[in-house]
PDB file of all heavy atoms in Angstrom:
ATOM      1  N   ASP A  80      -3.394  35.203   9.708  1.00 92.00           N
ATOM      2  CA  ASP A  80      -4.832  35.232   9.941  1.00 92.00           C
ATOM      3  C   ASP A  80      -5.600  35.681   8.699  1.00 92.00           C
ATOM      4  O   ASP A  80      -5.183  36.615   8.011  1.00 92.00           O
ATOM      5  CB  ASP A  80      -5.093  36.208  11.104  1.00 92.00           C
ATOM      6  CG  ASP A  80      -6.413  35.936  11.765  1.00 92.00           C
ATOM      7  OD1 ASP A  80      -6.739  34.749  11.951  1.00 92.00           O
ATOM      8  OD2 ASP A  80      -7.120  36.901  12.083  1.00 92.00           O
ATOM      9  N   ARG A  81      -6.703  34.985   8.425  1.00 93.00           N
ATOM     10  CA  ARG A  81      -7.649  35.364   7.353  1.00 93.00           C
ATOM     11  C   ARG A  81      -7.028  35.402   5.960  1.00 93.00           C
ATOM     12  O   ARG A  81      -7.457  36.197   5.117  1.00 93.00           O
ATOM     13  CB  ARG A  81      -8.276  36.739   7.618  1.00 93.00           C
ATOM     14  CG  ARG A  81      -9.070  36.826   8.857  1.00 93.00           C
ATOM     15  CD  ARG A  81     -10.410  36.147   8.752  1.00 93.00           C
ATOM     16  NE  ARG A  81     -10.700  35.651  10.086  1.00 93.00           N
ATOM     17  CZ  ARG A  81     -11.743  34.989  10.466  1.00 93.00           C
ATOM     18  NH1 ARG A  81     -12.650  34.691   9.613  1.00 93.00           N
ATOM     19  NH2 ARG A  81     -11.894  34.589  11.689  1.00 93.00           N
ATOM     20  N   THR A  82      -6.006  34.615   5.746  1.00 95.00           N
ATOM     21  CA  THR A  82      -5.393  34.621   4.412  1.00 95.00           C
ATOM     22  C   THR A  82      -6.064  33.607   3.477  1.00 95.00           C
ATOM     23  O   THR A  82      -5.600  33.407   2.354  1.00 95.00           O
ATOM     24  CB  THR A  82      -3.877  34.317   4.512  1.00 95.00           C
ATOM     25  OG1 THR A  82      -3.686  33.232   5.422  1.00 95.00           O
ATOM     26  CG2 THR A  82      -3.095  35.524   4.985  1.00 95.00           C
ATOM     27  N   GLY A  83      -7.111  32.945   3.970  1.00 97.00           N
ATOM     28  CA  GLY A  83      -7.844  32.016   3.108  1.00 97.00           C
ATOM     29  C   GLY A  83      -7.411  30.564   3.248  1.00 97.00           C
ATOM     30  O   GLY A  83      -7.665  29.757   2.349  1.00 97.00           O
ATOM     31  N   LYS A  84      -6.823  30.217   4.383  1.00 98.00           N
ATOM     32  CA  LYS A  84      -6.359  28.833   4.596  1.00 98.00           C
ATOM     33  C   LYS A  84      -7.514  27.831   4.525  1.00 98.00           C
ATOM     34  O   LYS A  84      -7.441  26.847   3.803  1.00 98.00           O
ATOM     35  CB  LYS A  84      -5.664  28.704   5.966  1.00 98.00           C
ATOM     36  CG  LYS A  84      -4.433  29.575   6.118  1.00 98.00           C
ATOM     37  CD  LYS A  84      -3.838  29.471   7.511  1.00 98.00           C
ATOM     38  CE  LYS A  84      -4.735  29.999   8.603  1.00 98.00           C
ATOM     39  NZ  LYS A  84      -5.094  31.422   8.484  1.00 98.00           N
ATOM     40  N   SER A  85      -8.572  28.107   5.303  1.00 98.00           N
ATOM     41  CA  SER A  85      -9.686  27.143   5.356  1.00 98.00           C
ATOM     42  C   SER A  85     -10.364  27.026   3.995  1.00 98.00           C
ATOM     43  O   SER A  85     -10.742  25.927   3.573  1.00 98.00           O
ATOM     44  CB  SER A  85     -10.703  27.574   6.425  1.00 98.00           C
ATOM     45  OG  SER A  85     -10.084  27.585   7.694  1.00 98.00           O
ATOM     46  N   THR A  86     -10.483  28.166   3.302  1.00 98.00           N
ATOM     47  CA  THR A  86     -11.099  28.166   1.962  1.00 98.00           C
ATOM     48  C   THR A  86     -10.317  27.251   1.022  1.00 98.00           C
ATOM     49  O   THR A  86     -10.892  26.422   0.316  1.00 98.00           O
ATOM     50  CB  THR A  86     -11.093  29.615   1.400  1.00 98.00           C
ATOM     51  OG1 THR A  86     -11.779  30.463   2.326  1.00 98.00           O
ATOM     52  CG2 THR A  86     -11.735  29.686   0.039  1.00 98.00           C
ATOM     53  N   LYS A 103      -8.691  20.067  10.848  1.00 98.00           N
ATOM     54  CA  LYS A 103      -8.434  21.468  11.186  1.00 98.00           C
ATOM     55  C   LYS A 103      -7.964  21.579  12.625  1.00 98.00           C
ATOM     56  O   LYS A 103      -8.542  20.962  13.510  1.00 98.00           O
ATOM     57  CB  LYS A 103      -9.748  22.253  10.999  1.00 98.00           C
ATOM     58  CG  LYS A 103      -9.626  23.696  11.376  1.00 98.00           C
ATOM     59  CD  LYS A 103     -10.869  24.476  10.999  1.00 98.00           C
ATOM     60  CE  LYS A 103     -10.892  25.847  11.654  1.00 98.00           C
ATOM     61  NZ  LYS A 103      -9.632  26.569  11.612  1.00 98.00           N
ATOM     62  N   ARG A 107     -11.872  21.762  17.517  1.00 98.00           N
ATOM     63  CA  ARG A 107     -12.660  22.263  18.659  1.00 98.00           C
ATOM     64  C   ARG A 107     -13.696  21.254  19.141  1.00 98.00           C
ATOM     65  O   ARG A 107     -14.454  21.546  20.064  1.00 98.00           O
ATOM     66  CB  ARG A 107     -13.325  23.591  18.277  1.00 98.00           C
ATOM     67  CG  ARG A 107     -12.327  24.646  17.802  1.00 98.00           C
ATOM     68  CD  ARG A 107     -12.974  26.018  17.597  1.00 98.00           C
ATOM     69  NE  ARG A 107     -12.084  26.931  16.863  1.00 98.00           N
ATOM     70  CZ  ARG A 107     -12.015  28.239  17.073  1.00 98.00           C
ATOM     71  NH1 ARG A 107     -12.758  28.803  17.996  1.00 98.00           N
ATOM     72  NH2 ARG A 107     -11.192  28.987  16.354  1.00 98.00           N
ATOM     73  N   PHE A 135      -3.043  23.491  23.072  1.00 99.00           N
ATOM     74  CA  PHE A 135      -3.011  23.451  21.598  1.00 99.00           C
ATOM     75  C   PHE A 135      -2.166  22.261  21.125  1.00 99.00           C
ATOM     76  O   PHE A 135      -2.525  21.563  20.178  1.00 99.00           O
ATOM     77  CB  PHE A 135      -2.407  24.743  21.032  1.00 99.00           C
ATOM     78  CG  PHE A 135      -3.402  25.868  20.801  1.00 99.00           C
ATOM     79  CD1 PHE A 135      -3.325  27.043  21.530  1.00 99.00           C
ATOM     80  CD2 PHE A 135      -4.385  25.760  19.828  1.00 99.00           C
ATOM     81  CE1 PHE A 135      -4.216  28.099  21.299  1.00 99.00           C
ATOM     82  CE2 PHE A 135      -5.273  26.809  19.586  1.00 99.00           C
ATOM     83  CZ  PHE A 135      -5.189  27.982  20.327  1.00 99.00           C
ATOM     84  N   ARG A 139      -3.120  18.460  19.118  1.00 99.00           N
ATOM     85  CA  ARG A 139      -2.492  17.804  17.959  1.00 99.00           C
ATOM     86  C   ARG A 139      -2.121  16.351  18.297  1.00 99.00           C
ATOM     87  O   ARG A 139      -2.306  15.454  17.483  1.00 99.00           O
ATOM     88  CB  ARG A 139      -1.237  18.581  17.517  1.00 99.00           C
ATOM     89  CG  ARG A 139      -1.565  19.880  16.810  1.00 99.00           C
ATOM     90  CD  ARG A 139      -0.332  20.595  16.299  1.00 99.00           C
ATOM     91  NE  ARG A 139       0.375  21.370  17.291  1.00 99.00           N
ATOM     92  CZ  ARG A 139       0.023  22.586  17.711  1.00 99.00           C
ATOM     93  NH1 ARG A 139      -1.061  23.161  17.216  1.00 99.00           N
ATOM     94  NH2 ARG A 139       0.723  23.223  18.612  1.00 99.00           N
ATOM     95  N   ARG A 160      -3.823  24.598   9.505  1.00 98.00           N
ATOM     96  CA  ARG A 160      -2.985  25.001  10.652  1.00 98.00           C
ATOM     97  C   ARG A 160      -2.428  23.770  11.361  1.00 98.00           C
ATOM     98  O   ARG A 160      -3.037  22.707  11.374  1.00 98.00           O
ATOM     99  CB  ARG A 160      -3.748  25.840  11.698  1.00 98.00           C
ATOM    100  CG  ARG A 160      -4.121  27.235  11.254  1.00 98.00           C
ATOM    101  CD  ARG A 160      -4.509  28.007  12.517  1.00 98.00           C
ATOM    102  NE  ARG A 160      -5.168  29.269  12.266  1.00 98.00           N
ATOM    103  CZ  ARG A 160      -4.517  30.423  12.140  1.00 98.00           C
ATOM    104  NH1 ARG A 160      -3.215  30.455  12.227  1.00 98.00           N
ATOM    105  NH2 ARG A 160      -5.187  31.536  11.943  1.00 98.00           N
ATOM    106  N   GLY A 165       1.109  26.793  16.208  1.00 98.00           N
ATOM    107  CA  GLY A 165       1.283  26.556  17.646  1.00 98.00           C
ATOM    108  C   GLY A 165       2.469  27.316  18.201  1.00 98.00           C
ATOM    109  O   GLY A 165       2.379  27.990  19.229  1.00 98.00           O
ATOM    110  N   TYR A 168       2.119  31.679  17.409  1.00 98.00           N
ATOM    111  CA  TYR A 168       1.170  32.485  18.201  1.00 98.00           C
ATOM    112  C   TYR A 168       1.607  32.571  19.665  1.00 98.00           C
ATOM    113  O   TYR A 168       1.416  33.600  20.310  1.00 98.00           O
ATOM    114  CB  TYR A 168      -0.258  31.924  18.096  1.00 98.00           C
ATOM    115  CG  TYR A 168      -0.928  32.343  16.799  1.00 98.00           C
ATOM    116  CD1 TYR A 168      -0.721  31.646  15.617  1.00 98.00           C
ATOM    117  CD2 TYR A 168      -1.755  33.466  16.741  1.00 98.00           C
ATOM    118  CE1 TYR A 168      -1.305  32.028  14.426  1.00 98.00           C
ATOM    119  CE2 TYR A 168      -2.346  33.868  15.550  1.00 98.00           C
ATOM    120  CZ  TYR A 168      -2.118  33.141  14.395  1.00 98.00           C
ATOM    121  OH  TYR A 168      -2.699  33.549  13.223  1.00 98.00           O
ATOM    122  N   ARG A 207     -11.513  41.240   6.114  1.00 70.00           N
ATOM    123  CA  ARG A 207     -12.176  39.991   5.724  1.00 70.00           C
ATOM    124  C   ARG A 207     -13.151  39.544   6.802  1.00 70.00           C
ATOM    125  O   ARG A 207     -12.917  39.748   7.990  1.00 70.00           O
ATOM    126  CB  ARG A 207     -11.150  38.907   5.434  1.00 70.00           C
ATOM    127  CG  ARG A 207     -10.480  39.189   4.102  1.00 70.00           C
ATOM    128  CD  ARG A 207      -9.856  37.959   3.532  1.00 70.00           C
ATOM    129  NE  ARG A 207      -9.274  38.280   2.235  1.00 70.00           N
ATOM    130  CZ  ARG A 207      -8.335  37.571   1.638  1.00 70.00           C
ATOM    131  NH1 ARG A 207      -7.866  36.493   2.238  1.00 70.00           N
ATOM    132  NH2 ARG A 207      -7.891  37.907   0.466  1.00 70.00           N
ATOM    133  N   TYR A 215      -7.131  36.496  19.544  1.00 93.00           N
ATOM    134  CA  TYR A 215      -5.862  36.918  18.947  1.00 93.00           C
ATOM    135  C   TYR A 215      -6.039  37.883  17.773  1.00 93.00           C
ATOM    136  O   TYR A 215      -5.054  38.288  17.163  1.00 93.00           O
ATOM    137  CB  TYR A 215      -5.083  35.693  18.458  1.00 93.00           C
ATOM    138  CG  TYR A 215      -4.615  34.762  19.566  1.00 93.00           C
ATOM    139  CD1 TYR A 215      -4.440  33.408  19.319  1.00 93.00           C
ATOM    140  CD2 TYR A 215      -4.329  35.238  20.843  1.00 93.00           C
ATOM    141  CE1 TYR A 215      -3.997  32.542  20.314  1.00 93.00           C
ATOM    142  CE2 TYR A 215      -3.900  34.374  21.840  1.00 93.00           C
ATOM    143  CZ  TYR A 215      -3.736  33.034  21.577  1.00 93.00           C
ATOM    144  OH  TYR A 215      -3.301  32.177  22.563  1.00 93.00           O
ATOM    145  N   GLN A 221      -1.213  40.546  15.454  1.00 93.00           N
ATOM    146  CA  GLN A 221      -1.028  39.811  14.187  1.00 93.00           C
ATOM    147  C   GLN A 221       0.295  40.200  13.525  1.00 93.00           C
ATOM    148  O   GLN A 221       0.940  39.387  12.879  1.00 93.00           O
ATOM    149  CB  GLN A 221      -2.201  40.075  13.227  1.00 93.00           C
ATOM    150  CG  GLN A 221      -3.532  39.478  13.699  1.00 93.00           C
ATOM    151  CD  GLN A 221      -3.517  37.963  13.780  1.00 93.00           C
ATOM    152  OE1 GLN A 221      -2.779  37.292  13.063  1.00 93.00           O
ATOM    153  NE2 GLN A 221      -4.320  37.406  14.682  1.00 93.00           N
ATOM    154  N   LYS A 248      -4.866  38.445  -4.508  1.00 97.00           N
ATOM    155  CA  LYS A 248      -5.213  37.341  -5.418  1.00 97.00           C
ATOM    156  C   LYS A 248      -6.594  36.809  -5.048  1.00 97.00           C
ATOM    157  O   LYS A 248      -6.911  36.693  -3.859  1.00 97.00           O
ATOM    158  CB  LYS A 248      -4.188  36.209  -5.304  1.00 97.00           C
ATOM    159  CG  LYS A 248      -2.837  36.597  -5.890  1.00 97.00           C
ATOM    160  CD  LYS A 248      -1.813  35.499  -5.703  1.00 97.00           C
ATOM    161  CE  LYS A 248      -0.435  35.985  -6.136  1.00 97.00           C
ATOM    162  NZ  LYS A 248       0.648  35.245  -5.501  1.00 97.00           N
TER     163      LYS A 248
HETATM  164  N1  Z5A B 464      -3.791  28.989  17.181  1.00 81.96           N
HETATM  165  C1  Z5A B 464      -2.830  29.003  18.189  1.00 81.96           C
HETATM  166  O1  Z5A B 464      -2.657  30.005  18.890  1.00 81.96           O
HETATM  167  N2  Z5A B 464      -2.097  27.883  18.418  1.00 81.96           N
HETATM  168  C2  Z5A B 464      -2.266  26.755  17.686  1.00 81.96           C
HETATM  169  O2  Z5A B 464      -1.581  25.755  17.934  1.00 81.96           O
HETATM  170  C3  Z5A B 464      -3.237  26.768  16.624  1.00 81.96           C
HETATM  171  C4  Z5A B 464      -3.986  27.897  16.418  1.00 81.96           C
HETATM  172  C5  Z5A B 464      -3.449  25.526  15.790  1.00 81.96           C
HETATM  173  C6  Z5A B 464      -7.999  30.088  15.776  1.00 81.96           C
HETATM  174  O3  Z5A B 464      -7.552  29.435  14.619  1.00 81.96           O
HETATM  175  C7  Z5A B 464      -6.839  30.737  16.458  1.00 81.96           C
HETATM  176  O4  Z5A B 464      -6.009  29.745  17.063  1.00 81.96           O
HETATM  177  C8  Z5A B 464      -5.931  31.502  15.526  1.00 81.96           C
HETATM  178  C9  Z5A B 464      -4.553  30.875  15.704  1.00 81.96           C
HETATM  179  C10 Z5A B 464      -4.651  30.184  17.008  1.00 81.96           C
HETATM  180  N3  Z5A B 464      -5.892  32.862  16.005  1.00 81.96           N
HETATM  181  N4  Z5A B 464      -5.827  33.869  15.310  1.00 81.96           N
HETATM  182  N5  Z5A B 464      -5.777  34.836  14.877  1.00 81.96           N
HETATM  183  P1  Z5A B 464      -8.531  29.164  13.427  1.00 81.96           P
HETATM  184  O5  Z5A B 464      -7.768  28.409  12.408  1.00 81.96           O
HETATM  185  O6  Z5A B 464      -9.781  28.531  13.943  1.00 81.96           O
HETATM  186  O7  Z5A B 464      -8.830  30.634  12.881  1.00 81.96           O
HETATM  187  P2  Z5A B 464      -9.992  31.014  11.872  1.00 81.96           P
HETATM  188  O8  Z5A B 464     -11.069  31.654  12.639  1.00 81.96           O
HETATM  189  O9  Z5A B 464     -10.336  29.871  10.968  1.00 81.96           O
HETATM  190  O10 Z5A B 464      -9.322  32.126  10.976  1.00 81.96           O
HETATM  191  P3  Z5A B 464      -8.250  31.901   9.928  1.00 81.96           P
HETATM  192  O11 Z5A B 464      -7.872  30.460   9.924  1.00 81.96           O
HETATM  193  O12 Z5A B 464      -7.170  32.842  10.171  1.00 81.96           O
HETATM  194  O13 Z5A B 464      -8.920  32.263   8.546  1.00 81.96           O
HETATM  195  P4  Z5A B 464      -8.516  31.557   7.175  1.00 81.96           P
HETATM  196  O14 Z5A B 464      -8.885  30.113   7.269  1.00 81.96           O
HETATM  197  O15 Z5A B 464      -7.140  31.872   6.789  1.00 81.96           O
HETATM  198  O16 Z5A B 464      -9.449  32.286   6.130  1.00 81.96           O
HETATM  199  P5  Z5A B 464     -10.835  31.720   5.514  1.00 81.96           P
HETATM  200  O17 Z5A B 464     -11.784  31.339   6.584  1.00 81.96           O
HETATM  201  O18 Z5A B 464     -10.560  30.766   4.422  1.00 81.96           O
HETATM  202  O19 Z5A B 464     -11.293  33.068   4.810  1.00 81.96           O
HETATM  203  C11 Z5A B 464     -11.714  34.219   5.566  1.00 81.96           C
HETATM  204  C12 Z5A B 464     -12.695  35.085   4.716  1.00 81.96           C
HETATM  205  O20 Z5A B 464     -11.981  35.583   3.582  1.00 81.96           O
HETATM  206  C13 Z5A B 464     -13.876  34.273   4.149  1.00 81.96           C
HETATM  207  O21 Z5A B 464     -14.965  35.126   4.113  1.00 81.96           O
HETATM  208  C14 Z5A B 464     -13.398  33.916   2.731  1.00 81.96           C
HETATM  209  O22 Z5A B 464     -14.468  33.712   1.845  1.00 81.96           O
HETATM  210  C15 Z5A B 464     -12.585  35.131   2.370  1.00 81.96           C
HETATM  211  N6  Z5A B 464     -11.482  34.819   1.432  1.00 81.96           N
HETATM  212  C16 Z5A B 464     -10.669  33.729   1.430  1.00 81.96           C
HETATM  213  N7  Z5A B 464      -9.774  33.798   0.435  1.00 81.96           N
HETATM  214  C17 Z5A B 464      -9.986  34.973  -0.206  1.00 81.96           C
HETATM  215  C18 Z5A B 464      -9.374  35.618  -1.332  1.00 81.96           C
HETATM  216  N8  Z5A B 464      -8.330  35.079  -1.974  1.00 81.96           N
HETATM  217  N9  Z5A B 464      -9.854  36.819  -1.707  1.00 81.96           N
HETATM  218  C19 Z5A B 464     -10.907  37.367  -1.048  1.00 81.96           C
HETATM  219  N10 Z5A B 464     -11.552  36.820   0.006  1.00 81.96           N
HETATM  220  C20 Z5A B 464     -11.086  35.633   0.434  1.00 81.96           C
END
Side-chain angles (χ1 to χ4, degrees):
D80 202 41
R81 298 285 148 181
T82 44
K84 299 177 295 300
S85 298
T86 303
K103 177 172 167 44
R107 304 187 193 214
F135 272 115
R139 286 184 279 280
R160 290 195 193 269
Y168 280 84
R207 286 201 178 159
Y215 294 152
Q221 292 296 332
K248 290 177 187 156

